[in-house]
Each structure stands twice: as structure tokens, then as C-alpha cells.
């Protein structure tokens, strides 16, 4: 699959730990708890393990600078199910208003398989789900929104966080902000930035935080880039939307981050 009409920046050691491709649709009113189990039978060969999770809220990116979240009132005890492959790296997520496919890094040795592999998993899973809906009398999902998320963990290197964030993201420049050098170094920092995608395709949301990684207590920068935007009900624009979203996330990530970080991640082009 050709994900972009031009060559995108590439890194041999990207800090990405998770990629999520998702579609939101009008609630399937006939969807019942039993359908989670029946869908498992359809995908068990590839995703034999399951986990139960609370549902995700509906979010609509229909106005610049605005999210409109609303948590559905579910009558299903477990309203979102993960279907997980044997490696734990790939999974599908299903609830009566959402379908998502994830790649996630479980171990430091896990290699990011690139967007094409993650997106192909999403497309194959979505096709299985649409066929499942038709076979089981649930109707055809009516899409209302797409979403693509890249989550990155960047370990400390030059200087401790949060001040050290300025070495990764030039948009955060603590030393330039100290006009009279009164304040001490900050002990906490969070940032949200939003950019408009072209052709009314939605928005690119960038979220910056820092914290301690649970598994090894290492301090990391959490850099989350999420593209979110409206989709046609018949999802005929799906490939074009994800192509645009992927390009904006990759180029946006590169534009926001510093050259010294690019060297650390092995920028190839």
C-alpha cells in the first residue's frame, strides 16, 4: 500500500510504542453482549486472547478547537473487548460504536512494523467486522469519524525532565522564557497543541506530558499525536483519510522535534 504520494521522514529507531487505527460509527442498536463472543469465533485464529475494558467515549472533531465527548449509557456489562494476538503486539478493540486496531511495543526488542502493517491489520479486521455485522443481522455500520494515534515514549538524555523536554521539542524553551530568571526550574509540564488538517479532514492533536514508566521506573516524555476527523457513512474515503492522517503525523512529529533527537532516533530521510 502506498501511504503517501511523496517520501516521508523515516527513523531506524523511532520512539513510537503504540499505533492505533480506529473508526467510530453510529451505535449498533442490536448489538448484544453475546456478539462479543461470536466475533471471537470469527477472529480466534489470529486473535485468540481477550480482555474486557470500559467503553471509550464518543468524541467528535467537528469544530476547530473543539472536542465533544459523551460517554454512552451501555447496557452491556463489559462494553469494550480486546482481541489479542499470541505475541501481544497486535490487537483489535470492539464496542458498539467503535472498532480499532493497535500495534504496541511489549518489549524493548519489539521492532515497529511500520504503518503499512498496522493499517493492513486494521483493514482486515474492519472487513471481518462488517461481514460479521451483516451475517448476524446487525446492519451495516454507519461511519461518523476516523482516528489515527501515534504514542511515543522518549527517555531522558541531555537533561532531566521537564526542563529537558526543550532538547526534544523546541516549542518548549524554558530558558528563553526566563526573562528575569526569577522562577526555579518547573517540576511539572503538560502541553496541548492542535492543528487543522487540510480539506476539512479534521484536526491533528499533539499532547505532551512526562512521567515515570511503570515497568522500569525510567522517566520518559509522553508525546501523543492523534489525527481525528469526519468520515463518510459508507467509509469510501477511508484510505484517503488515513493516508492524509499518517502523512501529517509523521511530518508533524518531525517538524516538532529537534535535530539532536533525530540523530538519536536514526533519521534516514
Amino acid at each position: 500500500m502506498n501511504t503517501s504520494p511523496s517520501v516521508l521522514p523515516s527513523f531506524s529507531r523511532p520512539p513510537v510504542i503504540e499505533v492505533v487505527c480506529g473508526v467510530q460509527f453510529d451505535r449498533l442498536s442490536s448489538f448484544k453482549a453475546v456478539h462479543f463472543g461470536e466475533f471471537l469465533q470469527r477472529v480466534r485464529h489470529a486473535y485468540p486472547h481477550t480482555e474486557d475494558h470500559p467503553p471509550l467515549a464518543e468524541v467528535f472533531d467537528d469544530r476547530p478547537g473543539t472536542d465533544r465527548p459523551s460517554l454512552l449509557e451501555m447496557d452491556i456489562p463489559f462494553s469494550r473487548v480486546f482481541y489479542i494476538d499470541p505475541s501481544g503486539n497486535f490487537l483489535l478493540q470492539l464496542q458498539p460504536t467503535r472498532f480499532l486496531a493497535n500495534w504496541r511495543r511489549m518489549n524493548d526488542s519489539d521492532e515497529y512494523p511500520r504503518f503499512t502493517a498496522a493499517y493492513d491489520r486494521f483493514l482486515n479486521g474492519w472487513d471481518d467486522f462488517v461481514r460479521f455485522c451483516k451475517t448476524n443481522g446487525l446492519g451495516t455500520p454507519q461511519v461518523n469519524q476516523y482516528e489515527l494515534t501515534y504514542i511515543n515514549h522518549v527517555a531522558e538524555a541531555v537533561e532531566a525532565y521537564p526542563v529537558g523536554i526543550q532538547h526534544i521539542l523546541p516549542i518548549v524553551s524554558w530558558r528563553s522564557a526566563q526573562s528575569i530568571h526569577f522562577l526555579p526550574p518547573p517540576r511539572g509540564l503538560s502541553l496541548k497543541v492542535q492543528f487543522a488538517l487540510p480539506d476539512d479532514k479534521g484536526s491533528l492533536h499533539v499532547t505532551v506530558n512526562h512521567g515515570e514508566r511503570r515497568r522500569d521506573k525510567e522517566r520518559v516524555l509522553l508525546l501523543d499525536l492523534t489525527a481525528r476527523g469526519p468520515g463518510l457513512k459508507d467509509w469510501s474515503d477511508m484510505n484517503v483519510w488515513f493516508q492524509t492522517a499518517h502523512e501529517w503525523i509523521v511530518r508533524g512529529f518531525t517538524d516538532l522535534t529537534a535535530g539532536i533527537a533525530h540523530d538519536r532516533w536514526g533519521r534516514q530521510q
Side-chain angles (χ1 to χ4, degrees), residues 54 110 114 193 199 218 235 238 244 269:
D110 292 341
R114 302 298 164 177
V193 189
D199 304 320
E218 184 171 15
W235 65 92
M238 179 178 283
T244 300
Q269 56 194 28

Side-chain angles (χ1 to χ4, degrees), residues 10 32 121 125 156 167 242:
S10 178
K32 304 299 180 184
R121 287 265 187 163
E156 287 180 341
H167 301 294
F242 275 97

Side-chain angles (χ1 to χ4, degrees), residues 69-137:
S70 62
L71 188 60
L72 294 175
E73 292 184 4
M74 297 290 188
D75 56 0
I76 301 174
F78 299 111
S79 301
R80 181 166 52 122
V81 172
F82 285 12
Y83 303 88
I84 307 169
D85 83 334
S87 72
N89 295 122
F90 290 96
L91 64 92
L92 305 177
Q93 300 184 50
L94 176 61
Q95 70 181 55
T97 57
R98 291 277 191 101
F99 182 89
L100 306 99
N102 303 44
W103 171 83
R104 57 188 182 179
R105 175 171 283 130
M106 303 297 290
N107 302 290
D108 289 340
S109 59
D110 292 341
E111 185 175 349
Y112 170 48
R114 302 298 164 177
F115 174 70
T116 300
Y119 186 58
D120 284 347
R121 287 265 187 163
F122 165 72
L123 288 179
N124 291 335
W126 175 246
D127 183 63
D128 276 338
F129 178 62
V130 170
R131 292 174 183 273
F132 172 80
C133 288
K134 293 179 179 179
T135 300
N136 289 272

Side-chain angles (χ1 to χ4, degrees), residues 15 153-158 161 168 213 218-221 264-265:
H153 279 184
V154 183
E156 287 180 341
V158 178
Y161 296 142
I168 307 299
R213 194 159 55 191
E218 184 171 15
R219 291 178 59 80
V220 294
L221 168 68
R264 181 177 166 190
W265 302 325

